[in-house]
C-alpha cells in the first residue's frame, strides 16, 4: 500500500461510514476497480477507528452525561436521566458480539466477494426504502429493551459487506417507528461500542502477527477518515432531516446494478 491508496481509502471510509451506503463495500471495491492490492480487513478496521474518534468528538457533550446516567442506573437499579438510552446502546451491542464470534472467518473470506456486495447493496437498499415509509415520530430515547435487541440483531447483518452498519440499524429503527433523524442519531451512538470492539480485537491480532504492518499508512488512513467523518456527520443529519433516505436508496440500487454489470454480466 502506498500513500495515495491510504489517503483515498481513508477519505472513502470517512465519507461513507455514517451514510447508509456501506463503507466496507466501498473499501473492498475501490481497490478492485483501480487495480490496487486488497488492503485487507486490518486496514479497514483501522480506518473505522478514525471514524470512531470522529463520532466521539461530535457527540462529546452528550456521551459523558449518558455514561454517568447509565452507571448510576445500574447502581440504583432505577432509571436515571437518559439511562434508558444508555441501556439501549448496551443491549444493541450484545447481538453484534455474538454474531461476530460466529461469522468472523466468513467476513474475511467469502463475504468480501463482489457479487455478494452487489446483492447486499441492492437488497438492503430496497429494505431501507420500505422501512423509511414506515417511519413515525418516535425519538431514540423511546427505544426499549426489545427494540434495542431488534436493532442490535439487525446490526449483525453488517458483517456482510454491502449491507452498511449504519444503513441496517437505521432501517431497523425506522421500521420500529423512529423518525429519520432519531434513527440516524441512534445508529451513530450504537456505532461507538461496535467500532471500538472491532478495533480492539483486530489490534490484538496485529500485535502478535508475524507479517509486517504498515503503521504509517494506517495512521494516514485513520487521520483522513476521522476528519472527513466528523464533517460528514453534521451534514448527513441536516440532509436527512430535509429529504429523508430516498437519495441513498437510489444511490445503493444504482451502485449495486453497476456492480452486477461489472462482475457478472460483462
Amino acid at each position: 500500500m502506498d500513500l495515495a491508496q491510504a489517503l483515498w481509502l481513508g477519505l472513502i471510509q470517512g465519507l461513507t461510514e455514517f451514510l447508509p451506503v456501506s463503507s466496507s463495500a466501498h473499501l473492498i471495491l475501490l481497490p478492485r476497480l483501480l487495480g490496487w492490492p486488497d488492503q485487507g480487513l486490518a486496514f479497514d478496521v483501522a480506518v473505522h477507528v478514525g471514524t470512531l474518534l470522529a463520532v466521539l468528538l461530535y457527540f462529546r457533550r452528550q456521551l459523558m452525561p449518558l455514561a454517568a446516567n447509565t452507571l448510576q442506573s445500574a447502581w440504583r437499579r432505577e432509571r436515571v436521566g437518559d439511562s434508558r438510552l444508555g441501556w439501549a446502546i448496551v443491549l444493541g451491542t450484545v447481538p453484534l458480539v455474538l454474531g461476530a464470534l460466529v461469522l468472523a472467518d466468513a467476513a474475511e473470506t467469502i463475504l468480501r466477494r463482489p457479487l455478494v456486495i452487489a446483492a447486499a447493496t441492492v437488497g438492503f437498499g430496497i429494505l431501507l426504502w420500505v422501512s423509511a415509509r414506515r417511519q413515525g415520530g418516535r425519538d431514540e430515547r423511546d427505544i426499549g429493551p426489545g427494540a434495542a435487541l431488534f436493532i442490535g440483531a439487525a446490526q449483525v447483518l453488517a458483517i456482510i459487506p454491502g449491507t452498511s452498519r449504519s444503513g441496517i440499524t437505521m432501517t431497523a429503527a425506522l421500521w420500529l417507528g423512529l423518525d429519520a433523524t432519531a434513527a440516524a442519531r441512534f445508529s451513530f451512538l450504537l456505532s461507538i461500542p461496535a467500532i471500538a470492539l472491532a478495533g480492539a480485537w483486530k489490534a490484538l491480532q496485529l500485535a502478535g502477527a508475524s507479517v509486517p504492518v504498515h503503521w504509517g499508512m494506517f495512521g494516514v488512513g485513520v487521520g483522513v477518515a476521522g476528519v472527513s467523518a466528523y464533517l460528514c456527520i453534521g451534514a448527513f443529519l441536516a440532509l436527512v432531516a430535509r429529504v429523508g433516505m430516498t437519495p441513498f436508496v437510489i444511490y445503493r440500487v444504482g451502485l449495486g446494478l453497476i456492480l452486477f454489470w461489472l462482475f457478472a454480466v460483462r
Side-chain angles (χ1 to χ4, degrees):
M1 178 185 298
D2 58 21
L3 180 60
Q5 186 176 358
L7 285 169
W8 277 109
L9 291 175
L11 181 62
I12 290 295
Q13 166 63 22
L15 294 178
T16 58
E17 169 62 21
F18 297 113
L19 304 182
V21 297
S22 181
S23 61
S24 296
H26 287 76
L27 290 175
I28 293 169
L29 292 170
L30 185 64
R32 286 177 178 263
L33 294 174
L34 296 180
W36 293 341
D38 189 321
Q39 70 279 4
L41 191 59
F43 183 85
D44 291 359
V45 172
V47 290
H48 275 75
V49 173
T51 55
L52 170 63
L53 298 175
V55 74
L56 287 172
L57 182 61
Y58 190 89
F59 288 102
R60 62 190 181 281
R61 293 185 178 88
Q62 181 180 354
L63 289 174
M64 289 302 293
L66 181 62
N69 289 165
T70 306
L71 290 173
Q72 291 172 13
S73 171
W75 179 259
R76 299 180 187 176
R77 298 185 180 181
E78 62 183 13
R79 185 172 177 176
V80 178
D82 282 339
S83 61
R84 182 174 183 175
L85 176 58
W87 286 116
I89 295 169
V90 172
L91 288 173
T93 303
V94 172
L96 180 63
V97 174
L98 298 177
L101 292 174
V102 174
L103 298 173
D105 290 339
E108 298 197 40
T109 53
I110 60 173
L111 295 182
R112 292 171 71 86
R113 294 174 179 172
L115 292 182
V116 173
I117 297 170
T121 300
V122 173
F124 288 109
I126 294 171
L127 187 59
L128 174 62
W129 177 76
V130 172
S131 292
R133 295 171 65 87
R134 288 174 52 95
Q135 71 172 298
R138 297 178 63 196
D139 186 81
E140 67 268 26
R141 292 175 176 81
D142 297 326
I143 296 174
L149 287 171
F150 176 78
I151 297 172
Q155 188 176 211
V156 175
L157 296 172
I159 293 173
I160 305 171
T163 302
S164 172
R165 192 212 59 81
S166 59
I168 197 62
T169 51
M170 291 180 204
T171 296
L174 290 166
W175 184 267
L176 294 174
L178 273 72
D179 68 46
T181 306
R185 285 196 301 264
F186 185 69
S187 172
F188 296 162
L189 292 171
L190 193 59
S191 75
I192 294 172
I195 300 172
L197 289 170
W201 172 248
K202 184 53 64 175
L204 287 173
Q205 290 181 313
L206 292 175
S210 57
V211 296
V213 176
H214 302 290
W215 294 108
M217 295 300 100
F218 277 33
V220 170
V222 169
V224 173
V227 172
S228 54
Y230 182 85
L231 297 174
C232 188
I233 292 172
F236 174 72
L237 288 172
L239 179 64
V240 79
R242 291 199 305 271
V243 302
M245 298 292 180
T246 302
F248 304 101
V249 173
I250 294 171
Y251 175 82
R252 288 183 66 111
V253 173
L255 175 62
L257 293 177
I258 291 171
L259 294 176
F260 275 121
W261 179 75
L262 286 173
F263 295 105
V265 177
R266 221 177 64 171

